[in-house]
Amino acid sequence: MDDHTEDVTMQGAVCPVPLPYKAQIVLGHGSGGKMTQGLIESVFYPPFENPALLRGDDSAVVVSPQGGKLALTTDSHVVTPLFFPGGDIGRLAVCGAVNDLCMVGAQPQWLTAGFILEEGLPFEVLERVTQSMRAAAEDAGVIIVAGDTKVTERGKADGIFINTNGIGWVPEGRDVSGANARAGDVVLLSGSLGDHGIAVLAARGELEFEAQVESDMAPLNAMVEMMFEACSGIRVLRDPTRGGLATTLNEIACQSRVGIRIDEQSIPVHGAVEAACEMLGFDPLYVANEGKLVAIVPADASEDVLEAMQSHPYGKEACVIGEVVEEPAGRVLMQTAIGSTRVVETLSGEMLPRIC
Amino acid sequence: MDDHTEDVTMQGAVCPVPLPYKAQIVLGHGSGGKMTQGLIESVFYPPFENPALLRGDDSAVVVSPQGGKLALTTDSHVVTPLFFPGGDIGRLAVCGAVNDLCMVGAQPQWLTAGFILEEGLPFEVLERVTQSMRAAAEDAGVIIVAGDTKVTERGKADGIFINTNGIGWVPEGRDVSGANARAGDVVLLSGSLGDHGIAVLAARGELEFEAQVESDMAPLNAMVEMMFEACSGIRVLRDPTRGGLATTLNEIACQSRVGIRIDEQSIPVHGAVEAACEMLGFDPLYVANEGKLVAIVPADASEDVLEAMQSHPYGKEACVIGEVVEEPAGRVLMQTAIGSTRVVETLSGEMLPRIC
């Protein structure tokens, strides 16, 4: 499986030549950006095609034969290192599933957890991770009802991988999707960008300075319920994880066939994150978050929803960052700090592999 | 994460000493046998404790707030090689989830699929796997509604790992659990043992002879529905995967606090599997199956259920293999071919790593 090259007959001689770029998986296919989207559209959509999958939201919503709408989501977690300021792979696995469910308006109820362990993993590490999952599950009010464990030989995995699945119910009347944004809507962001990505990077020792950054990792379901109390007609919710805010907004602009205009100066970025990004040449708009959400709401409800967000600890830095416009459909435009307007593209390639 | 040793201060000197056996994960923790059970009881049950999890069946059954009983299951698949006679990791991932659902009497409806891919994986391999998943899903009548893809660096995973989650409904009136066997019940087996394990082993080139063995991998939900038509009061269903029939029967004997007596001569094993097991020193009772089930049913319904199994292609070799008795509770006894009786233990250690 590991061959970079394949043998081809070339003028009679068999020589190893590099495969074309497209012919094998590279790290960029896991970036959450353009290459991930390309992989999904070319390899996963054609065989599995069905309306719930093609909708392309953070969770699939299916109509239950018993009545009601069920939300289902899956996420594998391969973050390295396993522990970092503000969180660890266990908390990440729980928050990731919980947040994907509430991004379609569902109330998370049950999780399942599948572990792939590498031979040689200390028990003590696994125990720290499961205790952390328990705490995060309590925090989110969900229960872990089923599990599975596989073990690979040394060198065939990397410590711990965790897959979590989330199952929840979408209360009647809620219709939340990346496809629902309309011109005139207001774009809200629940807080500062980039904390998770930079915290993980710092824990890898890849920064040449010491950054006091903690991951923002948090289960967002309680805040989301408060937002629905303020406005039952929330149109879009999405958490800007892999690919960052830039990629998330582009996904929404494409799904809804609208333009999105944002104002750079309105977007909160903590000082230490900004400093780290400047040194590394990163744009915080592309750095992963694990406890933030974008909400798109009708203009007349935006103040109420913003207030609800700000009244919750996970949304205290919430703010309006822009608006939905008709044109250019499928594009995100940003008014920069210096007053110009630039197109904000989807992430291409991979900036920070194994961030979640 | 990979250290075999830790530094300890010993009489003033820091020397690497092996960690005690229990202190780290070894391949046996993924065997499905005693060590897996030990890991579950010591590391997973304490933090996650809840009734659905502790029941210890193949799927969790939860009561839906919308009415009805929902079955949830998760399985990660790390089989190597990815392709083998009779199947591949894609078909395995679908059949595994489908079968775990029907083992609690549920009708499988939706699957989710989480992929962990290793950098360098050829696209063509991934495409073969997803096409195979599609075919298996069609075969089982389920749809794959959500997916996720992560990519690791080369050498940090092994080609493809797939986690599948299954979600289904348990029709009213069904109460199937490993805890429901009662003295006097009849034990049925749907067909021959060991085909999957030996097929994978042969594909690894680990046999010194050529074995004509195909994996038995199959979605069992259609056959299970026919069995319920024959008898709505089926007590126990379980598929003897990792750990084999011996481990499965021990689990049931413990959960139900009954004894199980089986007759060695009644258990079908194909000639090629028997030959391979004899050469390798394996007991087919411990070799993994992926398209077989054990059913425990009230004696007066056993003929009808057996007939239903035999009328389905996946159960044409089905037979009665034993009965449930009161004593010795928690034990499995086997009448051997030579007429003696021996205790059949749960698998200890690991026989065939990464078989599923």
Side-chain angles (χ1 to χ4, degrees):
Chain A
M1 310 298 305
D2 286 1
D3 282 350
H4 261 298
T5 57
E6 65 180 357
D7 288 339
V8 295
T9 304
M10 202 184 273
Q11 298 186 325
V14 175
C15 17
V17 296
L19 282 172
Y21 175 68
K22 208 188 91 54
Q24 60 181 345
I25 294 295
V26 297
L27 287 171
H29 288 119
S31 66
K34 269 184 194 161
M35 292 184 68
T36 305
Q37 197 53 38
L39 181 72
I40 292 171
E41 284 168 11
S42 65
V43 178
F44 294 115
Y45 277 175
F48 301 150
E49 190 175 348
N50 62 71
L53 183 72
L54 295 183
R55 192 152 155 144
D57 285 327
D58 285 348
S59 293
V61 177
V62 293
V63 175
S64 157
Q66 315 275 327
K69 287 192 293 182
L70 202 56
L72 310 171
T73 185
T74 185
D75 258 306
S76 294
H77 302 275
V78 299
V79 67
T80 181
L82 298 175
F83 303 94
F84 41 84
D88 58 77
I89 192 171
R91 186 168 173 82
L92 178 66
V94 171
C95 293
V98 164
N99 292 349
D100 276 350
L101 289 175
C102 30
M103 295 307 115
V104 296
Q107 294 171 334
Q109 292 208 277
W110 305 292
L111 301 188
T112 67
F115 295 83
I116 297 174
L117 308 178
E118 184 190 10
E119 191 186 10
L121 178 78
F123 261 55
E124 177 265 328
V125 170
L126 182 59
E127 279 165 348
R128 275 177 69 193
V129 168
T130 55
Q131 292 295 348
S132 171
M133 291 179 79
R134 175 216 181 102
E138 279 177 3
D139 204 1
V142 295
I143 57 172
I144 297 171
V145 293
D148 177 58
T149 310
K150 295 295 188 312
V151 180
T152 74
E153 309 87 337
R154 216 171 274 269
K156 298 294 185 186
D158 194 13
I160 307 182
F161 298 149
I162 305 177
N163 176 284
T164 36
N165 262 248
I167 299 100
W169 290 96
V170 184
E172 208 161 333
R174 292 187 188 175
D175 178 21
V176 181
S177 166
N180 291 356
R182 297 182 207 168
D185 288 350
V186 170
V187 183
L188 304 169
L189 175 65
S190 69
S192 66
L193 291 187
D195 302 76
H196 175 71
I198 298 301
V200 173
L201 211 62
R204 284 184 199 162
E206 288 181 16
L207 301 184
E208 281 167 20
F209 52 95
E210 205 167 314
Q212 298 294 330
V213 181
E214 288 207 348
S215 169
D216 58 344
M217 192 173 293
L220 298 174
N221 51 330
M223 182 174 77
V224 167
E225 286 306 309
M226 290 167 66
M227 293 165 65
F228 275 108
E229 273 168 37
C231 168
S232 63
I234 293 172
R235 309 236 213 247
V236 181
L237 291 170
R238 191 154 294 180
D239 53 341
T241 55
R242 283 184 294 176
L245 178 70
T247 303
T248 295
L249 292 178
N250 270 285
E251 285 169 8
I252 298 168
C254 284
Q255 275 183 269
S256 294
R257 300 195 179 106
V258 294
I260 296 179
R261 285 187 162 271
I262 56 173
D263 175 6
E264 186 171 26
Q265 284 191 294
S266 68
I267 297 170
V269 179
H270 291 157
V273 171
E274 200 167 4
C277 283
E278 265 174 29
M279 285 211 36
L280 296 161
F282 289 164
D283 182 339
L285 288 179
Y286 293 92
V287 180
N289 313 278
E290 289 292 344
K292 298 292 158 30
L293 63 80
V294 172
I296 297 185
V297 300
D300 58 9
S302 64
E303 270 184 45
D304 290 346
V305 176
L306 183 62
E307 210 170 280
M309 292 164 83
Q310 287 169 339
S311 71
H312 192 280
Y314 296 147
K316 59 183 189 294
E317 296 179 315
C319 53
V320 173
I321 61 162
E323 57 173 341
V324 179
V325 292
E326 271 180 30
E327 298 290 339
R331 299 298 253 172
V332 179
L333 299 177
M334 183 167 76
Q335 170 125 17
T336 66
I338 55 165
S340 63
T341 296
R342 75 169 172 91
V343 175
V344 176
E345 299 278 4
T346 296
L347 176 67
S348 58
E350 174 60 297
M351 200 165 67
L352 296 170
R354 296 186 59 191
I355 210 75
C356 63
Chain B
M1 309 299 305
D2 285 359
D3 283 351
H4 261 299
T5 57
E6 64 181 357
D7 289 340
V8 295
T9 304
M10 202 184 270
Q11 298 185 326
V14 175
C15 19
V17 297
L19 282 172
Y21 174 67
K22 208 188 91 52
Q24 59 181 344
I25 294 294
V26 297
L27 287 172
H29 288 119
S31 67
K34 269 184 194 161
M35 293 185 68
T36 305
Q37 197 54 35
L39 182 72
I40 291 171
E41 284 168 12
S42 65
V43 178
F44 294 115
Y45 276 175
F48 301 149
E49 190 175 348
N50 61 71
L53 183 72
L54 295 182
R55 193 154 155 144
D57 285 328
D58 286 348
S59 293
V61 178
V62 293
V63 176
S64 157
Q66 315 275 329
K69 287 192 293 183
L70 202 56
L72 310 172
T73 185
T74 185
D75 258 305
S76 294
H77 301 275
V78 299
V79 67
T80 179
L82 298 174
F83 303 93
F84 41 84
D88 58 77
I89 192 171
R91 185 166 173 83
L92 178 65
V94 171
C95 294
V98 165
N99 293 349
D100 276 349
L101 290 175
C102 30
M103 295 307 116
V104 295
Q107 294 171 333
Q109 290 207 279
W110 304 292
L111 301 188
T112 67
F115 295 82
I116 298 175
L117 308 177
E118 183 190 10
E119 190 186 11
L121 178 79
F123 261 55
E124 176 265 330
V125 170
L126 182 58
E127 279 164 348
R128 273 177 70 193
V129 168
T130 55
Q131 291 296 346
S132 172
M133 291 179 80
R134 175 215 180 102
E138 280 177 2
D139 204 359
V142 294
I143 56 172
I144 296 171
V145 292
D148 177 58
T149 309
K150 295 293 187 312
V151 180
T152 74
E153 309 87 338
R154 216 171 275 270
K156 299 294 184 185
D158 194 15
I160 308 181
F161 299 148
I162 306 177
N163 176 284
T164 37
N165 261 249
I167 299 100
W169 290 96
V170 184
E172 208 161 334
R174 293 186 188 175
D175 178 21
V176 180
S177 167
N180 292 355
R182 298 182 205 167
D185 287 351
V186 169
V187 183
L188 305 169
L189 175 65
S190 69
S192 66
L193 291 187
D195 303 75
H196 175 70
I198 298 301
V200 173
L201 210 62
R204 285 184 198 161
E206 288 181 17
L207 301 182
E208 280 168 19
F209 52 93
E210 205 167 316
Q212 297 295 326
V213 181
E214 287 208 348
S215 170
D216 58 345
M217 190 173 295
L220 298 174
N221 50 332
M223 183 174 76
V224 167
E225 287 306 308
M226 290 168 66
M227 293 165 66
F228 275 108
E229 274 169 38
C231 167
S232 62
I234 293 172
R235 309 238 213 247
V236 182
L237 292 169
R238 191 155 294 181
D239 53 342
T241 54
R242 284 185 293 176
L245 179 68
T247 303
T248 294
L249 293 178
N250 271 283
E251 285 169 6
I252 297 167
C254 284
Q255 276 183 269
S256 295
R257 299 192 180 108
V258 294
I260 296 179
R261 287 187 159 271
I262 56 171
D263 175 5
E264 185 170 25
Q265 284 191 293
S266 68
I267 297 170
V269 179
H270 291 156
V273 171
E274 200 167 4
C277 283
E278 266 175 29
M279 285 212 37
L280 297 161
F282 289 164
D283 182 340
L285 288 179
Y286 293 92
V287 180
N289 312 280
E290 290 291 344
K292 297 291 157 32
L293 63 81
V294 172
I296 297 185
V297 300
D300 59 9
S302 63
E303 270 185 46
D304 290 347
V305 177
L306 183 63
E307 210 170 281
M309 291 164 83
Q310 287 169 339
S311 71
H312 192 280
Y314 296 146
K316 58 183 190 294
E317 295 177 316
C319 54
V320 173
I321 61 162
E323 57 173 342
V324 179
V325 291
E326 271 179 31
E327 296 291 339
R331 300 298 254 170
V332 179
L333 299 175
M334 183 167 76
Q335 169 124 19
T336 66
I338 55 165
S340 63
T341 297
R342 74 169 172 91
V343 175
V344 177
E345 300 278 4
T346 296
L347 176 66
S348 56
E350 175 60 296
M351 201 165 67
L352 297 170
R354 297 186 57 189
I355 210 76
C356 65

